Amino acid sequence: MSTAQRNAIRALLRVAPVVDELGRLFEDRGGALALVGGSVRDALLDRLGTDLDFTTSLRPDAVEAIVRGWADAVWTIGRAYGTIGCRKGDAQIEITTYRSDAYDGETRKPSVEFGDSLEGDLARRDFTVNAMAVTVPEHTFVDPFGGVDHLAAGVLRTPVEPEVSFGDDPLRMMRAARFASQLGFRPAEPVVAAMREMADRIEIVSAERVRDELVKLLLGRYPRVGLTLLVDTGLADHVLPELPALRLERDEHHRHKDVYEHSLKVLEQAIDLEHRLEDPPDLTIRLAALLHDIGKPRTRKFQPDGTVTFHHHDVVGAKLVRKRMRALRFSGDLIDDVAKLVELHLRFHGYGTGEWTDSAVRRYVRDAGDQLDRLHVLTRADSTTRNLRKAQRLQRVYDDLEHRIERLAEQEELASLRPDLDGNQIMAALGIGPGREVGEAYRFLMELRMDRGPLGEDAARDALLAWWAERGA
């Protein structure tokens, strides 16, 4: 047994009371059980957690009957795919009948066929590093495709020909990019070649499954590696076409940056700044950083003097973000947050060297809303200049803006900006009932609050009455 295999067994033994107990229950029912896939891979990497994946010779009904009397909780939402889930203590367990998934080339969902051997099940796995197993309770290590060696080399290979594997489930091409991001692995050349050849097959996979893989890729340790693989193989043309579209031809004088490389650099720099956010890794900021300039291809214009402009690419980009994220079935709240950040990412550049009035700072905070901390990160990350003096100046200027926001926040409760009078007070002051005019008055007071800061109720009421009289006249 190799050192890596011994490490896997040791990691398994740390959760052995649960694993072996479950293995004996299956053994008593005449069934085979093995820890498999990502659980074995992570055990070999000495990072096995409490999420455990098993495969078994028994069918789902028999699996459910076994765990019903053993587990603390059982769920059967994956029964149609041969999976029964359960919880025992801290362990989250999924047990799947030997199977092979295959697409018929027309539908967006794989058909499910149950198998009859562990080796057959492993042969239908996505990559060799996920095609290893440890039988329980025997603790026999099963590695028919050399997954241990490939894991040690950091290489992604498929158990069968990649064309066959990706034909069975085209989403595996996305998984190659995801594992490149999560683990830093590189796909073998036959895998890359098959991805290029079969990239259009990803179209038959549901948007939700593609989205989930893209999210895991973005939240990985090396998202640039995974994204580059998607672009270089042509997969991005089908799942995130706005990204390869950023590879604009540069003008002969090189007067504008490579937008694609700039966007990947901004993503990396945003990740380096995630410690400023509450709960990293942060999907919202990573999406906003990656997509902040996707409006540039639509807005690029060459000027007579040879310069290049991208006027309004922030507004156009926000619209494109909404369209793409809706197509990928992201949640409405996440779409709103990312689109807001993209639309606001240029706002800071009007700050100059601190010429903004307090009113402009208040509006900056109001418009950012609950995305202010992320906007700070995105704006700082968006500086990719190699001019050290310019970079330091931008940092100092943004430091100044943040300090001004902090000072105003202490004085004026910027986080909950509202007029000095509420709706009821407005109606009482003007002697009117609910209706459109109350909203107009509220907006007037809000703009007054932005311009002049807190006035107090008496001064706000005087200003409201003067506005009302002028409006009536």
Side-chain angles (χ1 to χ4, degrees):
M1 182 181 294
S2 71
T3 301
Q5 291 170 343
R6 284 194 292 271
N7 288 342
I9 298 299
R10 277 199 297 271
L12 177 63
L13 289 174
R14 287 203 294 269
V15 291
V18 169
V19 171
D20 287 350
E21 185 179 340
L22 185 60
R24 283 189 289 271
L25 290 175
F26 275 72
E27 193 175 50
D28 292 343
R29 300 290 183 93
L33 185 70
L35 191 73
V36 73
S39 294
V40 177
R41 181 198 68 223
D42 289 344
L44 287 165
L45 294 172
D46 198 25
R47 61 181 210 179
L48 179 64
T50 56
D51 291 343
L52 305 175
D53 294 325
F54 292 88
T55 188
T56 181
S57 59
L58 299 181
R59 296 300 189 255
D61 287 346
V63 173
E64 183 181 1
I66 291 173
V67 298
R68 278 288 178 196
W70 174 78
D72 300 326
V74 176
W75 50 92
T76 61
I77 191 171
R79 178 192 294 277
Y81 297 96
T83 300
I84 300 297
C86 64
R87 176 178 55 81
K88 180 71 171 179
D90 294 333
Q92 302 287 327
I93 296 169
E94 287 193 348
I95 307 168
T96 303
T97 301
Y98 297 156
R99 75 185 190 189
S100 64
D101 298 345
Y103 282 85
D104 62 15
E106 297 179 2
T107 64
R108 283 175 166 254
K109 293 184 179 180
S111 61
V112 177
E113 298 178 4
F114 294 137
D116 56 11
S117 73
L118 175 58
E119 288 73 14
D121 180 86
L122 296 178
R124 308 305 283 184
R125 300 264 163 177
D126 51 8
F127 301 103
T128 59
V129 295
N130 295 325
M132 300 174 284
V134 177
T135 64
V136 291
E138 304 94 337
H139 295 172
T140 300
F141 194 89
V142 182
D143 181 19
F145 305 106
V148 166
D149 293 336
H150 300 156
L151 190 70
V155 176
L156 290 175
R157 297 184 181 275
T158 51
V160 295
E161 292 80 2
E163 293 80 5
V164 174
S165 180
F166 298 157
D168 286 345
D169 185 354
L171 190 67
R172 290 171 177 171
M173 295 185 287
M174 289 287 297
R175 289 197 195 118
R178 187 242 291 186
F179 288 128
S181 170
Q182 289 180 329
L183 303 174
F185 286 9
R186 69 184 189 283
E189 184 49 43
V191 172
V192 175
M195 292 171 69
R196 288 196 183 101
E197 180 68 23
M198 303 177 68
D200 62 341
R201 286 275 292 162
I202 198 68
E203 297 281 356
I204 72 169
V205 182
S206 70
E208 290 83 359
R209 296 183 75 208
V210 169
R211 174 204 64 208
D212 291 346
E213 288 299 325
L214 183 61
V215 167
K216 292 173 184 176
L217 185 162
L218 285 171
L219 294 179
R221 293 178 61 190
Y222 314 102
R224 173 192 272 265
V225 177
L227 291 166
T228 300
L229 183 60
L230 289 183
V231 171
D232 290 348
T233 58
L235 273 166
D237 293 331
H238 301 279
V239 301
L240 193 62
E242 293 80 6
L243 182 58
L246 294 175
R247 294 185 298 182
L248 301 173
E249 291 183 9
R250 298 176 68 182
D251 64 285
E252 59 181 339
H253 301 293
H254 300 279
R255 294 188 182 178
H256 67 87
K257 295 178 181 178
D258 182 326
V259 183
Y260 171 69
E261 286 296 326
H262 166 74
S263 297
L264 293 178
K265 182 64 175 177
V266 172
L267 171 61
E268 290 180 319
Q269 293 187 165
I271 292 171
D272 289 340
L273 293 169
E274 279 185 328
H275 63 274
R276 296 169 59 106
L277 302 177
E278 186 173 339
D279 189 24
D282 190 290
L283 178 61
T284 304
I285 193 61
R286 294 191 183 199
L287 280 166
L290 179 65
L291 302 176
H292 75 286
D293 274 346
I294 65 170
K296 281 191 170 181
R298 293 276 188 93
T299 58
R300 182 174 64 158
K301 284 185 171 53
F302 291 96
Q303 302 302 313
D305 63 357
T307 58
V308 183
T309 63
F310 303 98
H311 294 312
H312 307 301
H313 76 268
D314 47 348
V315 177
V316 172
K319 292 178 180 177
L320 292 175
V321 161
R322 289 186 179 278
K323 181 179 179 181
R324 177 52 50 196
M325 290 185 67
R326 280 196 294 265
L328 288 169
R329 305 292 193 270
F330 280 101
S331 70
D333 288 344
L334 182 60
I335 293 172
D336 289 343
D337 291 344
V338 175
K340 175 186 284 188
L341 289 167
V342 171
E343 186 167 358
L344 293 176
H345 82 273
L346 291 180
R347 183 73 65 86
F348 160 72
H349 295 286
Y351 189 68
T353 56
E355 291 85 359
W356 276 4
T357 63
D358 285 351
S359 171
V361 174
R362 293 185 194 103
R363 283 181 167 80
Y364 188 79
V365 173
R366 179 196 63 183
D367 293 347
D370 60 0
Q371 297 306 305
L372 181 62
D373 289 340
R374 290 191 178 103
L375 184 57
H376 289 330
V377 168
L378 177 59
T379 304
R380 290 179 179 277
D382 196 21
S383 172
T384 59
T385 179
R386 295 180 181 179
N387 184 320
L388 180 59
R389 183 175 298 177
K390 182 179 179 181
Q392 291 174 338
R393 179 181 62 79
L394 287 170
Q395 181 173 320
R396 286 195 302 270
V397 173
Y398 206 86
D399 286 344
D400 179 67
L401 174 58
E402 284 200 49
H403 292 152
R404 287 184 64 187
I405 290 172
E406 290 173 3
R407 287 196 299 271
L408 283 173
E410 291 174 0
Q411 298 166 9
E412 304 180 14
E413 299 181 356
L414 287 185
S416 56
L417 273 175
R418 58 177 60 88
D420 294 277
L421 303 178
D422 62 23
N424 290 327
Q425 290 170 309
I426 289 171
M427 288 188 288
L430 301 181
I432 60 175
R436 176 177 53 84
E437 292 171 325
V438 178
E440 293 175 0
Y442 188 92
R443 286 189 290 274
F444 163 75
L445 289 175
M446 188 64 182
E447 288 303 311
L448 196 65
R449 172 73 170 80
M450 289 288 121
D451 289 335
R452 296 167 55 183
L455 299 177
E457 292 183 9
D458 291 341
R461 187 176 294 105
D462 290 342
L464 175 64
L465 291 173
W467 169 82
W468 183 252
E470 182 179 348
R471 185 176 181 276

